Amino acid sequence: MGNATNIYRCEICDNVTANVRYKAREMMFGMYDDFTYFECGACGCLQLATPPADMGCYYPPSYYSLSGSKMARVANWLRDEYAYTKTGILGRMVFALFPKFGLQTIKQQQWPQSARILDVGCGTGAILRVLARHGYQYLHGIDPYLAQDITVSSTLRIEKRALDTMTGDWDVIMFNHSLEHISAQVETLRHACRLLAPGGVCFVRIPTASSFAWEHYRTDWVNMDAPRHYFLHSHKSINLVAAQAGFHVNAIVQESSAFQFWASEQYQRGISLMAPVSCMTNPLRSAFAWRQIRAYQVQADEMNRTNRGDEIALVLTPAAAQHS
Ligand SMILES: [Zn+2]
């Protein structure tokens, strides 16, 4: 499917040799528009070669109401509570189908409740809302694609805003599946680095091309998410970006799920993520039996164990702090 070419320059490592070109389609909403990507022959970063002139039209209002119905919102609430607290039978059932490992990874970080936490590209603040319910007192979210600001509570405010306009001292700056949506990778992380208070950490959750899912599904891989994802980092390229931005990578946590399999299988069959027969919108009408989803999760667990999962979380600390 891909062919080698020397016409692209890797944004991460400058390599121009043996970069492999791919055509990927918009599949979340089933727009089916074509986009060119290439995989760097040196650092392995998969990247969007030619961004669309108007990226905004790939973030329609429904992008932020993927869980639109009232029932879906309740289900998500129960699922998120289960993910964070490991309690609740109904939440556990929703979690089994639509797991959210990120909340578990976040809880494992054991940030103090007084931590000043900034979530960059937070959407409507799903993760911050969970932290607010569990005692965190200083939470702020920003997302440039939001229609307007949202005041959730006195301890949580969400602004339509880009990172480069932010100020302040933050103990934690999170990118929960948002860094891959930003074209200026090093600049963005450098800015985050400058906004950290002494002892602060940057917490980054991203999809990764260093995965079985990319190798197996290629442009049908759900987390490629053309054209919204500018960069699908390899383990090597995210390390390069972090270092260029002044960070040291302290930990990589594997957190991929059954989603990488069932959603990519759907893309192979031309079924968009939001299609009426998608497991995402209607699990009961989808092509996958419950048993199949469980089998995919077992496979995902195996990928995570062998460092080949398609979603990872990284803890970055300012490199300068290593020596002080
Ligand atoms: Zn490269």
Side-chain angles (χ1 to χ4, degrees):
M1 187 189 292
N3 17 47
T5 159
N6 291 344
I7 63 169
Y8 301 114
R9 175 179 294 274
C10 175
E11 289 262 346
I12 308 301
C13 77
D14 271 344
N15 167 58
V16 291
T17 311
N19 293 333
V20 180
R21 178 168 43 194
Y22 292 91
K23 275 257 184 287
R25 295 183 300 168
E26 197 293 323
M27 286 298 292
M28 178 182 274
F29 299 103
M31 297 174 181
Y32 305 113
D33 300 345
D34 273 323
F35 299 94
T36 304
Y37 277 75
F38 69 93
E39 182 181 35
C40 174
C43 76
C45 183
L46 177 63
Q47 49 208 288
L48 180 60
T50 43
D54 179 15
M55 189 62 101
C57 72
Y58 296 99
Y59 293 84
S62 55
Y63 186 81
Y64 284 128
S65 53
L66 295 182
S67 47
S69 75
K70 197 168 178 191
M71 204 169 104
R73 283 204 300 275
V74 171
N76 279 344
W77 191 93
L78 291 167
R79 187 270 312 270
D80 290 357
E81 280 304 297
Y82 175 79
Y84 199 79
T85 63
K86 287 284 177 178
T87 58
I89 291 164
L90 286 173
R92 185 178 169 183
M93 288 166 67
V94 183
F95 187 91
L97 193 56
F98 299 114
K100 204 163 174 181
F101 294 117
L103 282 166
Q104 295 181 350
T105 317
I106 286 169
K107 193 177 182 190
Q108 284 160 9
Q109 304 307 308
Q110 298 187 314
W111 297 320
Q113 292 191 332
S114 58
R116 296 157 292 181
I117 300 178
L118 174 65
D119 190 0
V120 181
C122 65
T124 51
I127 286 174
L128 292 173
R129 287 165 201 252
V130 176
L131 295 181
R133 286 201 292 275
H134 291 281
Y136 283 88
Q137 292 141 29
Y138 201 106
L139 302 166
H140 197 98
I142 55 172
D143 195 313
Y145 289 112
L146 279 176
Q148 64 215 11
D149 296 356
I150 309 167
T151 300
V152 182
S153 67
S154 60
T155 55
L156 170 55
R157 188 171 158 73
I158 296 167
E159 286 183 295
K160 176 180 170 64
R161 189 165 173 174
L163 179 65
D164 58 8
T165 67
M166 285 300 291
T167 55
D169 280 312
W170 302 91
D171 300 306
V172 178
I173 298 182
M174 303 194 286
F175 293 84
N176 289 292
H177 286 271
S178 60
L179 186 65
E180 65 272 25
H181 294 255
I182 300 172
S183 63
Q185 294 281 287
V186 175
E187 220 175 279
T188 297
L189 285 182
R190 242 182 224 152
H191 202 85
C193 197
R194 280 196 295 270
L195 292 174
L196 286 178
V201 298
C202 187
F203 180 73
V204 177
R205 296 178 50 238
I206 50 170
T208 176
S210 294
S211 59
F212 170 83
W214 161 240
E215 288 161 20
H216 182 73
Y217 292 110
R218 293 299 184 195
T219 55
D220 288 320
W221 173 37
V222 64
N223 264 319
M224 194 163 174
D225 198 23
R228 285 166 292 271
H229 289 176
Y230 285 92
F231 296 95
L232 290 312
H233 282 293
S234 64
H235 293 178
K236 185 176 179 179
S237 70
I238 189 63
N239 269 281
L240 284 173
V241 164
Q244 286 170 36
F247 279 115
H248 175 80
V249 179
N250 272 333
I252 298 187
V253 180
Q254 293 272 332
E255 50 176 36
S256 79
S257 73
F259 176 67
Q260 69 191 307
F261 297 110
W262 63 253
S264 302
E265 292 283 335
Q266 288 190 168
Y267 284 10
Q268 274 190 336
R269 299 169 204 183
I271 300 169
S272 69
L273 195 62
M274 303 317 294
V277 294
S278 166
C279 187
M280 186 78 172
T281 50
N282 195 340
L284 301 177
R285 280 181 61 193
S286 86
F288 307 105
W290 177 258
R291 196 184 299 152
Q292 177 67 70
I293 301 287
R294 291 302 304 157
Y296 283 145
Q297 189 53 53
V298 170
Q299 208 180 337
D301 293 343
E302 176 61 18
M303 292 306 146
N304 292 339
R305 259 195 304 276
T306 53
N307 289 327
R308 294 198 299 154
D310 77 330
E311 296 185 20
I312 51 173
L314 304 102
V315 180
L316 313 179
T317 50
Q322 297 292 305
H323 311 291
S324 59

